[in-house]
């Protein structure tokens, strides 16, 4: 019986305990949407196949995977995304950005977890098809919501292959900021080191022409709260563990 209970606990924790690894690179990738740096092909690849919102898409409608690298200045992300229709209905990158196709990168520098909707305990960068990054920050003085462009945090470029299955190669260099980040001061990004653990998760908002996004798929299984799995934008406790290794 004890063995059985132990097995069940191990099984449950393996479902929810995500442990990604980013490997060190001596030479930074050229951020151009071409994965022709040899190290990108070495993986490990992690799938973006966990359902968060909407209907479950077919593979052609949406599928994706990613791999991670790092050096002292940046976390590098290569995502391969298959999306049948690219859709960007809102030219203002701060308007309903979650209802346009976007890659959503969740980063919690110290893996503290916890609430982060209107503070900088963690970031939920929505990177649009125009390569601009947006996240909500601390509220304005009058209490209104502060939707910020954070383009200095992320350099993003993508290209779509010219042949079927028309995969988008999305290449990004991400500066990591800790929870002392402030919109009003000059911020220095964190110097990354071997063994460092961050909170991390990746997702894709897929819309193919509807008023609202049709699917929201993520890399990490999220334990629902009152049936809701769309928690990453406000709660860093649903992120997984990312370790920087050499
Ligand atoms: Ca490249
Ligand atoms: Ca789609
Ligand atoms: Ca934090
Ligand atoms: Ca789409």
């Amino acid at each position: 019986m004890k063995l059985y209970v132990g097995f069940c606990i191990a099984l449950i924790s393996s479902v929810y305990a995500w442990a990604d690894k980013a490997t060190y690179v001596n030479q930074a990738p050229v951020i151009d949407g071409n994965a022709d740096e040899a190290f990108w092909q070495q993986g490990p690849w992690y799938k973006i196949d966990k359902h968060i919102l909407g209907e479950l898409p077919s593979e052609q409608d949406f599928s994706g995977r990613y791999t991670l690298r790092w050096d002292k200045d940046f976390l590098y992300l290569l995502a391969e995304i298959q999306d049948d229709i690219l859709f960007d209905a809102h030219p203002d990158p701060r308007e309903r950005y979650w209802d346009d196709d976007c890659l959503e990168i969740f980063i919690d520098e110290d893996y503290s977890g916890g609430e982060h909707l209107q503070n900088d305990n963690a970031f939920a960068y929505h990177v649009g098809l125009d390569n601009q990054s947006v996240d909500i920050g601390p509220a304005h003085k009058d209490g209104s919501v502060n939707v910020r462009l954070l383009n200095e945090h992320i350099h993003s470029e993508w290209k779509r292959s010219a042949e079927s299955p028309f995969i988008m190669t999305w290449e990004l260099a991400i500066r990591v900021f800790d929870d002392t980040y402030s919109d009003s001061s000059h911020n220095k990004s964190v110097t990354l080191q071997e063994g460092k653990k961050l909170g991390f998760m990746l997702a894709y908002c897929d819309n193919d022409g509807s008023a609202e996004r049709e699917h929201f798929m993520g890399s990490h299984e999220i334990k629902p709260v009152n049936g809701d799995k769309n928690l990453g934008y406000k709660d860093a406790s649903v992120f997984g563990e990312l370790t920087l290794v050499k």
Side-chain angles (χ1 to χ4, degrees):
M1 184 64 186
K2 255 188 190 168
L3 199 66
Y4 177 74
V5 171
F7 173 74
C8 286
I9 290 169
L11 194 68
I12 289 164
S13 25
S14 74
V15 168
Y16 289 105
W18 303 95
D20 289 6
K21 286 188 168 55
T23 323
Y24 179 78
V25 283
N26 284 314
Q27 187 153 15
V30 177
I31 304 299
D32 56 4
N34 296 315
D36 42 16
E37 293 82 358
F39 58 74
W40 280 135
Q41 301 314 321
Q42 290 162 11
W45 293 97
Y46 303 106
K47 287 184 176 175
I48 310 171
D49 61 352
K50 309 294 183 296
H51 176 259
I52 304 174
L53 272 180
E55 288 177 10
L56 211 56
S58 67
E59 191 180 325
Q60 188 194 22
D61 191 344
F62 168 77
S63 51
R65 65 175 192 166
Y66 66 96
T67 188
L68 293 155
R69 300 292 181 274
W70 69 279
D71 63 20
K72 69 180 179 45
D73 298 318
F74 295 96
L75 184 65
Y76 302 105
L77 168 65
L78 187 85
E80 292 184 346
I81 303 291
Q82 186 174 359
D83 181 1
D84 50 350
I85 296 170
L86 300 185
F87 186 66
D88 186 1
H90 307 90
D92 181 344
R94 282 161 297 202
E95 187 189 344
R96 298 192 68 81
Y97 42 87
W98 59 89
D99 283 327
D100 289 329
D101 284 335
C102 68
L103 195 63
E104 191 164 343
I105 304 166
F106 301 89
I107 294 187
D108 175 9
E109 181 272 334
D110 59 354
Y111 197 28
S112 62
E115 202 276 325
H116 75 92
L117 182 60
Q118 294 198 79
N119 61 59
D120 295 318
N121 168 33
F123 295 87
Y125 299 105
H126 299 72
V127 187
L129 292 177
D130 60 1
N131 291 307
Q132 303 209 59
S133 296
V134 184
D135 185 31
I136 294 170
H140 293 299
K141 278 193 181 132
D142 64 2
S144 60
V145 176
N146 173 18
V147 181
R148 304 171 289 183
L149 276 183
L150 296 170
N151 289 332
E152 69 280 13
H153 294 212
I154 297 183
H155 180 193
S156 165
E157 299 288 340
W158 60 267
K159 278 202 182 101
R160 209 180 200 186
S161 59
E163 284 167 22
S164 176
F166 305 110
I167 304 286
M168 299 166 81
T169 297
W170 210 317
E171 192 172 33
L172 308 100
I174 304 160
R175 287 183 202 279
V176 176
F177 290 92
D178 66 20
D179 56 13
T180 64
Y181 183 83
S182 163
D183 288 332
S184 56
S185 61
H186 182 72
N187 299 281
K188 200 177 172 310
S189 58
V190 170
T191 301
L192 301 176
Q193 290 176 331
E194 184 183 5
K196 182 174 177 59
K197 290 186 191 301
L198 301 91
F200 181 84
M201 190 165 76
L202 190 66
Y204 189 80
C205 300
D206 181 21
N207 195 340
D208 298 335
S210 302
E212 295 180 350
R213 65 183 150 184
E214 295 161 20
H215 340 275
F216 187 28
M217 296 291 289
S219 57
H220 292 54
E221 196 73 57
I222 295 171
K223 237 183 243 184
V225 173
N226 299 323
D228 186 12
K229 289 185 280 186
N230 184 21
L231 304 171
Y233 74 99
K234 57 186 178 186
D235 183 3
S237 301
V238 303
F239 302 2
E241 179 183 283
L242 168 64
T243 308
L244 308 183
V245 297
K246 282 214 170 170

